[in-house]
Amino acid sequence: MATLMLPLLWMFGMSIRPNEDILGAFSLIPQRVTFDNYVTFFTDSAWYSSYLNSIIYTSLNAVMSLTVALPAAYAFSRFRFAGDKHLFFWLLTNRMAPAAVFLLPFFQIYQSVGLFDTHLGVAIAHMLFNVPLAVWILEGFMSAIPREIDETAAIDGYSMPRFFIRIFLPMIRSAIGVTAFFCFMFSWVELLIARTITSVNAKPIAATMTRTVSAAGVDWGLLATAGVLTIVPGAIVIWFVRNYIAKGFALGRV
Amino acid sequence: MTVVGDQVSGEVVAPEPPVEEEQSYAPPKRRTNRAWWLVVPVVVSVAFTAVIPLMTVVNYSVQDVFSPVDRVFVGLEWFRAIARDPEVHAALVRTLLFSLQVLLLEIPLGVALAVVMPRRGMGVSLALVLVALPLLIPWNVVGTIWQIFARGDIGLGGWTINNVLGINFNYTLDSTDAWITVLLMDVWHWTPLVALLAYAGLRSIPEPYFQAAQIDGASAWATFRHIQLPRLRGVLTIAILLRFMDSLMIYTEPFVVTGGGPGNATSFLSILLSKIAVGQFDVGPAAAFSLLYFLIVQVICYVFFTVLTRSGR
């Protein structure tokens, strides 16, 4: 656990010292502490607006991915239908596609349909790998819930949609929490696609970070600061879903 | 004389109905094609984000593109060239080797981490957030952190190895060191994913199981082997496949740390691909390469997928 934290602590250490000290000589504890890097981050609109951009499209992506994935995961876990197994695997294959493959086509298609450089555009593009993931994780969790529950509800007179929303969704809320977190995470850290299909308005934070590499060399301190701050939204998200991960599933409680 | 009916019927035993594959606990899944309606949104979204772009790539892979208006159909020429390229073969071997090492290290580590993570109290939230942190850093930043971290002069990790352990370690010059750096970075970066999934799986085990095990005087190992591990099968399948697929496509982090070098020591398939696509701007060969790459990954994953999902049933 401690070794896990070392590089992060190191990064935090870098973010609160001036650049000369970072490059000057090795030292474990910062000699001079400065918050200039943080000030720069929050006063430069290029930094904080791209930070907001990332938050917007990531949240949008998580919501959209879950919305389409929930019914599909239910179908895969409860019914057998023509081609179900092939379809399931085909969905997964999209998770395996190297992002580099899609760069050029994405660029062209998004330009032509007007999704280029919009939050919605990035959110949709990231559904490429998040939807299969969401379906997959949700299916696994749903299959762990006995099918008898569906049948009991049907006998009790619940219609399918009502059963799904009133009984089933609350039962798998831990799974939804976990899935939302993973969607958020993968969308948050993805750079290649997000950078290709944005220019200004929806530019992600990760792309802004490459800006620190200038003719004068790398601004390590500012980069480390941005790195530290990129962890914050995710940490908040996982803080909120922690109970869902921790409580476990409502198996057998109904 | 009448036939003894009992005897006859007793001998002719009706054959057992074929056992369903997922016979385990529940009644068999209902067979209905109306379930397709539930899948439609997913199919539509994936069609837009995956199928249409993929068609474009297929289109490029059979043409020699000089400019947007000037292109020639070349058939399977690019595929032939890529499939014969020794550099591609080397990169493929390297990528597979890397993926296997990643799996062997990360899965046991992740499960171990999940087992020792606290199960109740304030520690739960704290442990979850701390474990998840590496996952939340954009990939290029992960690369950057490790690039500095592993440096012998100013990085904590590299400095420690050189000056405290007394081993001469330099990932920019030595190919083994570069490999180890990238591998360690990946383990650091992705073990938390396995741990989180495994932890979620472990939490689904009802408490009475553990109480019963305790009463029976089961050792920690026996509890793990017979109660926790079997229950983890589902999430571990996801974790293994996810890690396998992603490690086959790893790009950003090693690119930032080593740029594929020294020499070609850490040139994985994706790095080679982007060299061809962006570095040399050969759209045709790059498209053919990416399709072959895609295909190889799929075939391997399909085998993996079937083995993993069949074995437990």
Side-chain angles (χ1 to χ4, degrees):
Chain A
M1 204 80 142
T3 31
L4 200 68
M5 301 316 298
L6 266 182
L8 287 179
L9 287 174
W10 173 249
M11 177 168 74
F12 180 71
M14 266 177 33
S15 75
I16 53 168
R17 61 177 108 178
N19 267 324
E20 309 86 73
D21 285 16
I22 295 172
L23 292 171
F26 174 79
S27 65
L28 199 58
I29 294 134
Q31 311 288 321
R32 291 179 289 168
V33 174
T34 169
F35 289 98
D36 287 356
N37 295 321
Y38 287 87
V39 174
T40 313
F41 188 94
F42 283 110
T43 47
D44 187 343
S45 77
W47 280 105
Y48 66 77
S49 69
S50 66
Y51 194 56
L52 281 179
N53 287 339
S54 282
I55 295 179
I56 295 171
Y57 73 69
T58 322
S59 318
L60 203 58
N61 169 272
V63 172
M64 295 192 322
S65 299
L66 274 175
T67 313
V68 298
L70 273 168
Y74 184 76
F76 283 121
S77 92
R78 291 304 196 252
F79 305 114
R80 303 188 64 172
F81 47 93
D84 53 353
K85 287 194 178 122
H86 297 287
L87 186 65
F88 192 64
F89 186 75
W90 174 72
L91 273 179
L92 282 187
T93 62
N94 295 300
R95 188 79 195 13
M96 305 168 196
V101 176
F102 291 93
L103 292 185
L104 201 59
F106 266 156
F107 185 77
Q108 294 173 334
I109 295 169
Y110 279 57
Q111 289 267 11
S112 60
V113 296
L115 280 171
F116 185 77
D117 203 16
T118 59
H119 297 122
L120 183 67
V122 186
I124 291 177
H126 282 178
M127 285 172 84
L128 166 69
F129 46 83
N130 272 345
V131 165
L133 179 78
V135 171
W136 193 17
I137 293 185
L138 287 172
E139 196 271 341
F141 284 132
M142 285 178 182
S143 295
I145 291 178
R147 263 174 250 138
E148 283 86 347
I149 287 170
D150 305 35
E151 279 152 28
T152 316
I155 293 166
D156 287 351
Y158 275 89
S159 68
M160 243 278 277
R162 214 172 127 230
F163 158 76
F164 194 74
I165 291 163
R166 296 289 297 279
I167 298 177
F168 200 69
L169 285 189
M171 281 185 65
I172 56 156
R173 61 182 185 277
S174 57
I176 296 176
V178 175
T179 313
F181 168 72
F182 279 123
C183 287
F184 182 90
M185 178 199 105
F186 277 111
S187 178
W188 180 259
V189 297
E190 204 280 335
L191 171 67
L192 222 52
I193 294 177
R195 191 178 56 190
T196 309
I197 58 171
T198 57
S199 57
V200 183
N201 294 329
K203 192 177 178 168
I205 178 73
T208 311
M209 282 178 169
T210 51
R211 231 179 46 135
T212 56
V213 186
S214 63
V218 181
D219 190 343
W220 295 116
L222 194 52
L223 189 64
T225 305
V228 170
L229 288 171
T230 51
I231 305 179
V232 175
I236 294 171
V237 170
I238 194 141
W239 184 265
F240 278 116
V241 301
R242 74 185 190 283
N243 283 331
Y244 299 123
I245 298 178
K247 249 183 222 151
F249 316 133
L251 276 181
R253 278 199 209 143
V254 176
Chain B
M1 218 167 121
T2 53
V3 182
V4 185
D6 282 3
Q7 247 175 352
V8 175
S9 65
E11 267 169 31
V12 182
V13 180
E16 286 278 323
V19 185
E20 288 273 326
E21 246 180 65
E22 308 98 319
Q23 27 107 300
S24 53
Y25 40 85
K29 287 184 184 181
R30 220 165 76 214
R31 197 179 276 279
T32 165
N33 283 336
R34 270 170 52 200
W36 260 98
W37 289 109
L38 298 171
V39 196
V40 164
V42 160
V43 173
V44 171
S45 65
V46 172
F48 185 75
T49 54
V51 179
I52 300 175
L54 208 56
M55 299 314 280
T56 323
V57 177
V58 173
N59 195 16
Y60 282 133
S61 70
V62 291
Q63 293 177 331
D64 197 350
V65 184
F66 299 108
S67 75
V69 283
D70 188 14
R71 42 178 72 175
V72 182
F73 180 79
V74 294
L76 295 177
E77 192 53 48
W78 301 134
F79 288 94
R80 220 169 285 142
I82 291 294
R84 282 187 190 145
D85 191 340
E87 248 192 282
V88 174
H89 299 165
L92 177 65
V93 171
R94 227 174 274 134
T95 309
L96 285 175
L97 194 65
F98 180 76
S99 292
L100 287 181
Q101 292 179 351
V102 156
L103 281 186
L104 287 176
L105 286 171
E106 288 177 11
I107 301 297
L109 260 177
V111 173
L113 202 58
V115 170
V116 299
M117 272 163 73
R119 291 175 65 86
R120 56 173 65 86
M122 266 308 284
V124 173
S125 320
L126 197 67
L128 277 174
V129 174
L130 285 184
V131 165
L133 286 184
L135 295 172
L136 298 163
I137 311 169
W139 295 343
N140 56 335
V141 184
V142 171
T144 315
I145 295 174
W146 276 80
Q147 194 190 6
I148 313 172
F149 189 74
R151 263 170 73 162
D153 49 351
I154 57 166
L156 177 59
W159 188 84
T160 313
I161 295 173
N162 278 322
N163 298 342
V164 180
L165 301 178
I167 302 167
N168 194 13
F169 179 89
N170 188 333
Y171 69 86
T172 50
L173 292 178
D174 188 282
S175 48
T176 319
D177 290 354
W179 182 275
I180 292 172
T181 306
V182 174
L183 191 65
L184 273 183
M185 172 184 62
D186 197 80
V187 169
W188 175 79
H189 189 187
W190 290 112
T191 302
L193 179 90
V194 183
L196 278 188
L197 281 169
Y199 186 72
L202 284 179
R203 298 303 312 228
S204 74
I205 305 172
E207 203 56 37
Y209 280 53
F210 292 105
Q211 287 157 2
Q214 216 168 13
I215 292 166
D216 289 348
S219 67
W221 171 250
T223 314
F224 173 72
R225 175 68 192 80
H226 297 289
I227 297 178
Q228 295 179 314
L229 201 57
R231 277 296 193 121
L232 282 180
R233 212 192 67 234
V235 279
L236 274 191
T237 308
I238 294 182
I240 291 173
L241 272 168
L242 209 54
R243 276 318 296 135
F244 188 62
M245 294 183 328
D246 284 351
S247 60
L248 285 176
M249 304 186 309
I250 185 167
Y251 172 75
T252 317
E253 303 96 317
F255 182 76
V256 175
V257 178
T258 62
N264 276 330
T266 50
S267 282
F268 302 116
L269 277 175
S270 53
I271 292 182
L272 188 61
L273 169 62
S274 71
K275 263 184 205 158
I276 298 176
V278 186
Q280 305 161 9
F281 214 77
D282 289 334
V283 178
F289 188 177
S290 51
L291 283 179
L292 279 180
Y293 181 14
F294 192 31
L295 209 70
I296 292 170
V297 174
Q298 292 218 349
V299 169
I300 300 171
C301 286
Y302 184 74
V303 173
F304 230 68
F305 180 77
T306 26
V307 169
L308 277 180
T309 46
R310 285 250 176 88
S311 62
R313 291 261 154 90

